[in-house]
Amino acid sequence: MIDGDGVELVDVRHGLPRWPRVVTGWAGACAVGRLDGDDVLAFFRNDGIGLWNLTEGAPYGPGIRHYGGRTDLAIARVGGRDLVVSAHSATVRVWHPRTGRLVTELPLGTSISSLAVLPTSGDDALVAV
């Protein structure tokens, strides 16, 4: 649940908070997934993408610094690598979550309003925008 400047993670079965509220500073898209075996929240913030380790209740890595339009996020495991995938205006970008470095980007030339990633067998993933 996104509200104002943070994210409240709720156990949908019981309707109760699952972790303490995470202040993100941005009321935009977020994603929850597993990175290196930990539950991690990825969220947009003013200066890029923040990563919060929900298992430890602390930041995960340095975060990802970038600017510009942003619309959606996903966490994916592709070819044995844990990655963060983001949609920005008309481009899909893939990031290494531990270093914050750009792995690759795909300019699409069209406006992206949402994003979903489905890992497939092997070293590929299906990205729907």
Side-chain angles (χ1 to χ4, degrees):
M1 221 170 39
I2 300 172
D3 72 12
D5 66 348
V7 176
E8 186 79 40
L9 297 156
V10 177
D11 179 332
V12 294
R13 190 173 351 162
H14 301 103
L16 300 172
R18 173 70 169 86
W19 287 278
R21 185 173 186 276
V22 178
V23 176
T24 63
W26 183 275
C30 62
V32 175
R34 294 191 60 81
L35 296 172
D36 296 329
D38 290 324
D39 293 321
V40 174
L41 170 70
F43 55 91
F44 285 123
R45 59 186 189 196
N46 291 335
D47 64 349
I49 298 170
L51 301 170
W52 186 260
N53 186 323
L54 296 168
T55 304
E56 297 177 4
Y60 178 97
I64 298 165
R65 302 245 181 242
H66 75 86
Y67 298 92
R70 53 196 99 174
T71 56
D72 212 349
L73 282 169
I75 294 175
R77 184 162 183 83
V78 180
R81 293 175 67 188
D82 293 323
L83 302 166
V84 174
V85 183
S86 58
H88 307 269
S89 301
T91 303
V92 173
R93 294 188 178 122
V94 179
W95 307 90
H96 187 285
R98 280 288 183 200
T99 65
R101 292 183 183 209
L102 182 67
V103 174
T104 190
E105 66 181 343
L106 176 63
L108 298 176
T110 186
S111 180
I112 300 171
S113 60
S114 63
L115 163 84
V117 179
L118 175 67
T120 61
S121 61
D123 293 341
D124 296 326
L126 219 43
V127 178
V129 293

